Amino acid sequence: MNQPNPAQRLITTQFSKTIWNPFRTAVRDYRLVEPDDHIAVCISGGKDSLLLGVLLQMFQKHSKIPFRLTGLSMDPGYLPAARAQIDANIQALGLNTHQYNTKLFETVNRETDNPCFLCSRLRRGSLYSKAQELGCNKIALGHHYDDVIETTLMSMLYGGQVQTMLPRIRAKNYEGVQVIRPLYLVRERSILAWRDACGLECLACSCAFAEKARQDNHPETSKRYEIKNLIARLEAGNEQVPANIFNSLKNINVRDVLGWHDGAETHSFLDEYKTE
């Protein structure tokens, strides 16, 4: 019988409370893995997707739920050193992946206005199409707890709406495919601690724009980075702030909001006064 590698042992020992248990709770509570699922786990080379690949592979081994798992690793045009780093991490973690090449970076590098948005959209489309081609009905992404609460505040402060990442959604334009987020309850700091304990050197974005920013020593200035720092400052004064942001999305009293909609119909608090 194959023994778990060091990265897997760390998950069930040192990180059982901060990674393994929250992962299993999310899978159970949000029904992310169901019998006869064929799940594509997208492994980009970053810390989040690498951990997700390990967790799902472990869960497949130990769970009583029968499901198939396919690792997807897309090469959008990495430099040889970046590709070698990804391959080394995949091998060290014992992950099984289906690797395929695209020329995504060639397309994105011609974009000047919003290359990151275009890159994200093209990556998502390529991975979803490949997963559908391989017969997968679910696609697992590596978004974690901090992504969820950051997205919530960003939607309020910059989007004028209350909206967040859901742990499970139907993929638009890909019939029969759902997106799941098994790291939904795992804090980013736990992922970073696991990465460091494993001695992994995870891939940062290696497109031409990110590489130039690193060479020019440009600090991170994105809106998400601003929100991340804001939450960190608030948490330093009150450790319950992240949990309160997260829990607020489960405790919305529609009788105490100005308006709401379900995607089709719009409602107002004035609706109950229409008959008066």
Side-chain angles (χ1 to χ4, degrees):
M1 182 176 179
N2 293 331
Q3 295 296 317
N5 62 35
Q8 294 175 347
R9 285 197 297 270
L10 282 169
I11 288 172
T12 55
T13 54
Q14 183 177 339
F15 296 97
S16 62
K17 291 184 178 180
T18 56
I19 293 180
W20 184 235
N21 290 347
F23 161 80
R24 290 191 299 167
T25 298
V27 169
R28 180 195 65 217
D29 290 358
Y30 302 127
R31 302 195 302 273
L32 303 184
V33 179
E34 298 170 302
D36 301 321
D37 276 345
H38 184 183
I39 301 174
V41 53
C42 300
I43 299 174
S44 65
K47 67 185 190 311
D48 307 326
S49 64
L50 287 171
L51 173 61
L52 179 58
V54 173
L55 287 169
L56 283 172
Q57 200 160 281
M58 292 172 61
F59 188 73
Q60 185 184 42
K61 180 179 179 181
H62 298 292
S63 173
K64 295 180 180 179
I65 302 174
F67 70 97
R68 296 172 60 193
L69 186 64
T70 297
L72 280 184
S73 179
M74 179 188 67
D75 186 337
Y78 291 130
L79 295 173
R83 179 73 257 178
Q85 184 64 63
I86 294 176
D87 292 341
N89 286 337
I90 288 174
Q91 184 175 2
L93 295 173
L95 298 174
N96 299 314
T97 62
H98 174 90
Q99 299 185 17
Y100 70 102
N101 300 321
T102 70
K103 296 183 179 180
L104 187 148
F105 278 174
E106 288 186 15
T107 301
V108 173
N109 288 345
R110 293 194 293 269
E111 174 68 25
T112 57
D113 292 334
N114 200 342
C116 294
F117 173 80
L118 177 62
C119 183
S120 175
R121 189 180 67 181
L122 293 179
R123 278 176 180 267
R124 186 167 58 248
S126 175
L127 289 166
Y128 287 17
S129 295
K130 180 61 67 172
Q132 193 173 49
E133 175 188 320
L134 295 174
C136 301
N137 69 306
K138 288 182 179 175
I139 298 170
L141 301 181
H143 297 120
H144 48 69
Y145 186 95
D146 294 81
D147 289 325
V148 175
I149 61 176
E150 289 162 15
T151 298
T152 301
L153 280 193
M154 287 179 67
S155 74
M156 296 174 66
L157 299 180
Y158 301 118
Q161 59 185 332
V162 177
Q163 184 175 325
T164 192
M165 290 180 176
L166 292 175
R168 175 178 174 176
I169 59 173
R170 291 182 176 87
K172 293 181 179 179
N173 305 319
Y174 296 90
E175 187 176 354
V177 177
Q178 296 182 32
V179 174
I180 60 173
R181 297 182 169 103
L183 297 181
Y184 204 76
L185 301 178
V186 179
R187 293 298 305 266
E188 183 177 26
R189 62 192 178 202
S190 300
I191 301 173
L192 290 166
W194 172 80
R195 178 203 64 185
D196 294 343
C198 293
L200 294 174
E201 293 184 14
C202 296
L203 186 70
C205 183
S206 60
C207 72
F209 299 99
E211 184 61 30
K212 186 177 187 306
R214 284 192 291 270
Q215 291 176 355
D216 295 344
N217 197 28
H218 284 171
E220 177 63 72
T221 58
S222 69
K223 295 301 181 185
R224 182 169 293 276
Y225 185 76
E226 291 178 7
I227 293 296
K228 185 184 290 289
N229 283 340
L230 171 61
I231 294 173
R233 292 197 300 272
L234 294 172
E235 185 178 10
N238 181 351
E239 63 180 13
Q240 291 301 312
V241 164
N244 288 340
I245 297 172
F246 185 91
N247 290 332
S248 69
L249 296 167
K250 300 185 292 183
N251 296 305
I252 297 175
N253 184 347
V254 295
R255 295 183 62 85
D256 291 330
V257 296
L258 289 172
W260 66 96
H261 65 85
D262 57 10
E265 295 184 352
T266 299
H267 303 273
S268 165
F269 81 100
L270 289 172
D271 290 350
E272 66 175 289
Y273 297 100
K274 287 182 178 179
T275 59
E276 296 182 7

